[in-house]
Amino acid sequence: MAPAPADTRSAPRAERERGRGDAHVPAAGPLRILVCPHELVTGGSQLIAIDLAARLRERGHVVAVYAPRGPLEERLRERGLTWHPAPRFRGDSLHPAAVARFLRELRAFEPDIVHTYESGPALVAGVAAAALPLRHIESVLSMWVPPHVPDGVPLLVGTVAIARQVAQRSGPVLLMEPPVDTVADAPGDRVAARERLGVDAGAFVVSVVGRLSREHGKARGVIEAIGELDRLGDPAPGARPVLLVAGAGDEEGAVREAAGRARIDVRMLGDVPDPRDVYDAADVAFGMGASALRALAHARPVIVQGEGGFWRLVEPASAAGFLQHGFFGAGAAGQGLGALVAALAADPDRRRDLGGYGRMLVAERFSAARAVDRLEDLYMSEAAVPAARRPREALRALVRYGRLRAALAAPAAQRAWRRTRGRDV
């Protein structure tokens, strides 16, 4: 199929009859798809949204991305995607202006499918569906599904365990494990990557790519890693340790403070829209979720970071658990990061074997080409039925959102209320 027109607002709609807000069924042919990631800062969910959107555009669909400003704007341009600026989405606050702006976007672009990523855009789209007919698909690739995510539309989640947790929703729940472009994310030249990053060829490099945020203890884990690697010192004889940290977020300042106190060389790279050199430069990588998968695709041994001091090596003995629950964990279990890095530094053959194993695992299980086939089938299936207004679902989502706000504002009172009602937020 030929690429979609670049000006998606004025693209012709061959063989379609459409009025503003019609609950029509589109004729066979390319779909108009509005993709709504929650932000354009480097992170697994955002990169997945952009990659899948670009692949759908390459198949001839008319695709636009509606998202707040951020460093990934350049990546949108590189992938040939049209970007429509959005106000900031927040999962813990809902602004009437954001809903009004979204309704204007819907009336201007008139999508056949709206695909939101994470809870902020999902809630805005759910509320908008009270006013306009909408075919809405949600992806929540975080480690939990917030209660205010609208429950009457298809939901894509990233792990088997999460799919089971939300199986009682009124809408369908589908498993879409985080896809990885194993062509773009493939083992590269370590020496060349280090040269581009200004890292000595003989250093022992540990890399992490991800959001430096409070969510899931991401920034806290990086701070913990800095401390453990600092105490470890030189992990291999004659190899100066270097920690590469690529990412930004609401706790970036705290990570920078920890880096400034460290004796080891910690390189704070900021937000890196294309972090492939950061993965390729590594002897060992750590991270969670989609970032861990991308590191595995680069054939690097990976230590999965979780909450509460969780660190675990990806190896055949741990793979089944990660495939079930996601590349994440909670609570200290087994060795800490420093001990795992020290063992890997002392055994280059094991590093090579684990790198090869991780690459094979990702190629066989997390192919982006297979994911886009499934997603396109889902879009076509949803587009075959009329769009609908969903005022009751919007109201339910707002009520649950209100409870969440109450829980955030007064957690003790909310816990007491939940005990009297015998139900969750």
Side-chain angles (χ1 to χ4, degrees):
M1 285 179 143
D7 183 358
T8 56
R9 291 185 188 272
S10 60
R13 301 174 190 156
E15 301 180 33
R16 299 184 182 205
E17 294 181 4
R18 180 197 302 264
R20 287 181 182 269
D22 280 354
H24 77 296
V25 176
L31 298 176
R32 297 177 68 80
I33 304 164
L34 187 66
V35 177
C36 307
H38 67 299
E39 58 184 353
L40 289 180
V41 177
T42 303
S45 178
Q46 302 89 292
L47 293 171
I48 288 168
I50 291 169
D51 182 56
L52 292 176
R55 288 169 180 267
L56 288 159
R57 177 190 173 276
E58 291 164 1
R59 295 186 178 200
H61 299 290
V62 181
V63 182
V65 174
Y66 180 72
R69 302 194 69 92
L72 290 177
E73 292 170 34
E74 179 60 31
R75 193 176 185 92
L76 293 175
R77 287 188 286 270
E78 291 173 355
R79 298 301 300 268
L81 288 165
T82 298
W83 170 56
H84 299 166
R88 186 181 179 192
F89 290 117
R90 290 183 62 89
D92 60 352
S93 61
L94 178 64
H95 301 285
V99 179
R101 177 86 168 268
F102 188 67
L103 285 168
R104 290 197 297 272
E105 177 67 23
L106 294 176
R107 292 186 176 108
F109 183 64
E110 294 182 318
D112 297 312
I113 298 289
V114 173
H115 190 165
T116 61
Y117 285 78
E118 307 311 329
S119 63
L123 180 59
V124 170
V127 173
L132 284 180
L134 199 63
R135 297 183 191 85
H136 179 198
I137 294 170
E138 306 163 327
S139 284
V140 176
L141 301 178
S142 300
M143 301 306 170
W144 74 298
V145 178
H148 58 270
V149 170
D151 64 359
V153 299
L155 169 68
L156 303 176
V157 297
T159 74
V160 174
I162 294 174
R164 289 174 178 165
Q165 290 169 12
V166 296
Q168 301 306 312
R169 287 168 47 94
S170 59
V173 177
L174 306 170
L175 178 64
M176 178 71 79
E177 293 175 320
V180 178
D181 183 344
T182 53
V183 176
D185 281 306
D189 188 321
R190 189 192 314 265
V191 174
R194 292 186 177 193
E195 184 175 348
R196 286 189 289 268
L197 292 169
V199 176
D200 185 74
F204 188 88
V205 178
V206 179
S207 293
V208 59
V209 177
R211 300 281 287 127
L212 301 179
S213 63
R214 183 176 295 105
E215 182 187 33
H216 304 312
K218 292 177 181 178
R220 185 179 297 276
V222 176
I223 293 170
E224 181 183 336
I226 292 171
E228 290 216 22
L229 294 175
D230 210 28
R231 288 189 292 274
L232 180 63
D234 291 354
R240 184 172 59 90
V242 176
L243 174 60
L244 302 179
V245 181
D250 54 33
E251 294 197 343
E252 181 180 355
V255 178
R256 288 187 177 276
E257 288 180 11
R261 294 190 299 267
R263 294 174 305 227
I264 62 167
D265 186 358
V266 182
R267 308 282 182 93
M268 298 294 298
L269 304 178
D271 194 273
V272 181
D274 183 354
R276 286 178 291 181
D277 278 348
V278 183
Y279 293 122
D280 282 335
D283 293 290
V284 176
F286 71 87
M288 62 177 69
S291 179
L293 289 172
R294 292 187 75 189
L296 291 171
H298 283 258
R300 299 301 185 255
V302 171
I303 299 166
V304 172
Q305 169 195 350
E307 290 184 295
F310 179 94
W311 302 99
R312 190 166 185 189
L313 186 65
V314 178
E315 56 186 332
S318 64
F322 287 132
L323 293 175
Q324 179 79 10
H325 299 286
F327 286 75
F328 185 69
Q335 295 177 303
L337 178 74
L340 292 169
V341 169
L344 290 169
D347 194 342
D349 289 339
R350 180 157 170 73
R351 295 202 304 272
R352 184 187 62 249
D353 291 345
L354 286 173
Y357 171 76
R359 172 71 187 178
M360 178 191 68
L361 179 68
V362 170
E364 291 181 354
R365 180 81 180 234
F366 298 92
S367 162
R370 184 170 56 191
V372 78
D373 286 342
R374 293 182 58 211
L375 188 59
E376 187 177 37
D377 288 345
L378 176 61
Y379 286 174
M380 290 296 190
S381 175
E382 289 296 304
V385 298
R389 291 183 176 89
R390 298 184 175 87
R392 292 182 179 178
E393 289 177 14
L395 179 60
R396 286 199 301 270
L398 285 171
V399 168
R400 291 169 180 162
Y401 168 73
R403 292 175 183 168
L404 177 66
R405 293 294 294 161
L408 293 173
Q414 182 65 11
R415 286 194 295 270
W417 182 88
R418 286 166 58 189
R419 284 195 296 270
T420 64
R421 302 285 292 179
R423 38 192 309 192
D424 290 335
V425 171

